[in-house]
Amino acid sequence: MTSIIEQCLALYGSHDYFVHYPARVAPDEYWDDKRDPDGRVRDLSTERDLRKADLAYIAEAVNARPAGRVVDIGCGLGELLEQIDPAHERIGIDPSERAVELAAERSGARTIRGVLTRDSFAAGSCDAVIAHHVIEHIEEPVDFVRTVAQALGPGGLFVVGTPNFASAAARLFGERFRLLHDPTHVSLFTDDSLMRLLRASGFRVVSVDYPFFGTRFATNEAWERMLRPQEGVSPAFWGSFVTVFAEKEQ
């Protein structure tokens, strides 16, 4: 039987966009304290400044565009919404009651508890949609991307970031790739398969980012751990996460 990483690598040359990875037991509240793959227990609500720094490159790209309606899907605790210029109409969506309450309090943006549906926004009424660490949690990601395309107007920006299961760390560490750890990751992409899906859904890929260099994750320890793939889980490393900036075709 092929491993889950081998299945993801087989997306190259196929017509499929993702590999379905059946959900494992997950906590009722996503934003409760988490035990990361290294065994460290984290309270994500206390990592506000760190998470804002992680997301600053997305806010910068959105803020460079004319003012319009910006929707942050899976807005979490609002670290990205806080950095979006209030000249935009800022809307956050998240299924967690705790998340939308805290995001609204911190950012001043309008937040909605729930998920994106075809009825969430009138067709063509959004100028930018962000889905950062979202698409891998969705059982039907193709429908999700098409729903985003419907909500965006021509030239609208879609920012989608997700683990890259064809990355060097995924290939080296296999089942111990750290981004397999989250039990709610059910739809696994490679960078290539994600871009194929976007193009097939009416988007033009503008740029691709693999956030690592210049971040808190680019440490000597990360480099050293990559040299020992037989030990423990993979570190956060270049290429393990991909962010695609795409515009809806005119």
Side-chain angles (χ1 to χ4, degrees):
M1 179 179 294
T2 57
S3 72
I4 190 66
I5 298 300
E6 290 171 330
Q7 292 176 52
C8 290
L9 293 175
L11 290 170
Y12 287 103
S14 82
H15 296 293
D16 295 325
Y17 299 119
F18 68 99
V19 171
H20 182 251
Y21 194 40
R24 283 72 66 207
V25 176
D28 292 334
E29 171 53 63
Y30 186 81
W31 294 101
D32 283 344
D33 290 353
K34 290 183 176 296
R35 185 177 298 275
D36 70 15
D38 301 300
R40 182 168 59 98
V41 177
R42 300 164 56 199
D43 177 358
L44 299 182
S45 66
T46 67
E47 298 181 5
R48 181 180 184 181
D49 290 339
L50 293 174
R51 293 167 64 81
K52 285 178 70 173
D54 295 343
L55 295 165
Y57 72 106
I58 297 176
E60 181 179 351
V62 172
N63 288 335
R65 297 173 65 87
R69 173 180 283 174
V70 176
V71 180
D72 184 8
I73 303 170
C75 66
L77 305 181
E79 293 92 352
L80 180 57
L81 287 171
E82 288 185 70
Q83 300 179 79
I84 302 298
D85 191 325
H88 295 283
E89 179 191 359
R90 300 169 300 152
I91 302 172
I93 302 176
D94 199 284
S96 165
E97 182 176 3
R98 178 188 179 198
V100 295
E101 289 178 355
L102 192 54
E105 177 185 327
R106 288 179 168 182
S107 69
R110 177 162 72 95
T111 58
I112 302 168
R113 184 184 182 190
V115 298
L116 181 73
T117 71
R118 293 269 173 165
D119 298 324
S120 297
F121 302 100
S125 65
C126 299
D127 299 283
V129 173
I130 304 156
H132 184 264
H133 278 292
V134 170
I135 197 170
E136 65 271 21
H137 299 273
I138 295 175
E139 291 277 357
E140 301 293 340
V142 176
D143 288 345
F144 171 74
V145 171
R146 291 172 179 166
T147 299
V148 171
Q150 179 192 46
L152 284 167
L157 178 67
F158 183 26
V159 184
V160 54
T162 193
N164 174 19
F165 289 91
S167 64
R171 293 168 188 255
L172 281 172
F173 285 80
E175 300 287 343
R176 289 176 291 107
F177 180 47
R178 69 185 303 108
L179 292 169
L180 277 175
H181 173 81
D182 191 323
T184 64
H185 287 183
V186 296
S187 296
L188 312 186
F189 287 83
T190 69
D191 48 1
D192 173 76
S193 70
L194 176 60
M195 286 186 274
R196 284 195 289 109
L197 172 57
L198 291 170
R199 293 185 179 111
S201 302
F203 289 97
R204 177 178 67 89
V205 173
V206 176
S207 64
V208 182
D209 200 339
Y210 300 90
F212 177 72
F213 295 107
T215 75
R216 60 184 166 124
F217 303 106
T219 64
N220 287 335
E221 180 187 5
W223 288 94
E224 292 168 359
R225 287 175 63 186
M226 284 292 289
L227 298 175
R228 303 192 305 275
Q230 71 281 3
E231 299 177 13
V233 298
S234 71
F237 198 70
W238 182 87
S240 294
F241 192 84
V242 59
T243 307
V244 181
F245 297 79
E247 291 183 347
K248 183 178 177 180
E249 296 281 9
Q250 301 289 335

